[in-house]
Amino acid sequence: MKKVEPATTMEPSAAIAAASAIVAREAAGSDLGTRLRQLRRSRGVSLAEVAEGTGISASFLSTVEKGKSDITVSRLMRLVHWFGVSIADLVQEPNLSPVQLVRADERRSVRLADERLSIQMLSADGTHAMMPVINAYDEGGGMADPTTHDGEEFVHVLEGHVELTVGRAEPIVLGPGDSAYYRSDVPHSFRNAGSGVARFLGVTTPPNL
C-alpha cells in the first residue's frame, strides 16, 4: 500500500489536488448518454415526447444519447427535472443505510466536456433535502447559460478563483476560502476566473441536480 504523508506536511492546495485525484467512476458523455437513453426507455417515452416536455430538440437528444454530443448543465437540469430524478440517480444506486457514507475513493462524478466541468457527488443518492457536490472547472471552463432552480444555494471555494454571476448584479470573483449564499430561483452562473482548476463545494436545497 502506498504510504500517505501526514496532512500537515502538505500545502492546502496540494491536499485538495490529492483528494480530487482519487475520485472514481466518472461518467463521461457517452456513459451519461447511455444512462439517459436507459432512463427514457424505462419510462416508455419517445425522444419526441421528451423534446416536447423539455424544449430540447429530439435530434440533439438523440446525439447526446449516442454519446456524440455533450450537454450543458442547464439542459441536463431540464432533462432530469422532467424525468423527476437527479443526476445522482443516474450514476449511483439508492442507499437506504441510516448513515450514508461516501468514501473519497468511491465518489461518482459526471463530466460535461463542453463546459470543462466535472460534478462530484458527495451524497449517496439524490433523495434528500440537500445535495452537496464539488464542482471542478478546468481552466477556461464555465457555464454556457445561466440556470435557475427552486430553493437556495451555498458555495465555498476550495481552490482557484470562481466568477459567480447572480441575476443582473455585477459578477463576483470568489477565491479560496470565500463563500456565497443566494436564492437559486434567480438566474446564476459560474466561470473559472483564473489559471488552473477552480474547485468549489456547492450545496443546494432542495436538490437541483
Side-chain angles (χ1 to χ4, degrees):
M1 181 177 293
K2 183 178 179 180
K3 182 180 178 180
V4 178
E5 295 296 333
T8 54
T9 66
M10 301 176 66
E11 294 296 326
S13 60
I16 293 169
S20 66
I22 59 177
V23 172
R25 303 177 180 87
E26 181 169 82
S30 58
D31 295 330
L32 184 61
T34 297
R35 290 163 183 169
L36 287 170
R37 182 173 65 247
Q38 293 171 342
L39 174 62
R40 177 178 61 80
R41 289 178 175 175
S42 72
R43 300 295 177 85
V45 295
S46 66
L47 283 169
E49 290 173 304
V50 179
E52 181 179 359
T54 62
I56 304 171
S57 73
S59 59
F60 176 75
L61 290 171
S62 177
T63 61
V64 170
E65 288 190 356
K66 294 175 181 177
K68 295 180 178 179
S69 292
D70 194 29
I71 188 168
T72 63
V73 170
S74 59
R75 284 183 168 182
L76 184 58
M77 287 175 60
R78 281 153 62 187
L79 273 177
V80 296
H81 288 177
W82 189 80
F83 281 112
V85 299
S86 73
I87 292 178
D89 296 326
L90 294 177
V91 299
Q92 298 178 187
E93 296 298 324
N95 186 325
L96 302 180
S97 302
V99 177
Q100 298 194 352
L101 180 65
V102 178
R103 297 289 187 185
D105 61 349
E106 296 174 348
R107 293 181 195 163
R108 293 180 183 265
S109 63
V110 175
R111 176 69 179 175
L112 303 178
D114 281 359
E115 294 176 308
R116 304 184 186 183
L117 167 65
S118 291
I119 304 173
Q120 303 167 8
M121 306 297 171
L122 300 183
S123 60
D125 55 48
T127 62
H128 309 288
M130 298 185 296
M131 174 169 283
V133 299
I134 290 179
N135 292 295
Y137 282 99
D138 296 339
E139 185 172 338
M143 293 176 61
D145 305 292
T147 188
T148 61
H149 50 89
D150 293 338
E152 301 176 331
E153 187 162 305
F154 168 81
V155 298
H156 177 80
V157 177
L158 303 172
E159 179 183 12
H161 290 82
V162 177
E163 182 182 274
L164 167 65
T165 303
V166 180
R168 297 182 178 180
E170 288 295 318
I172 303 168
V173 176
L174 304 173
D178 292 343
S179 303
Y181 194 109
Y182 49 90
R183 284 177 46 184
S184 48
D185 57 357
V186 178
H188 56 281
S189 62
F190 301 103
R191 183 181 69 85
N192 185 337
S195 59
V197 175
R199 185 174 288 106
F200 62 95
L201 170 70
V203 182
T204 60
T205 180
N208 68 304
L209 295 173

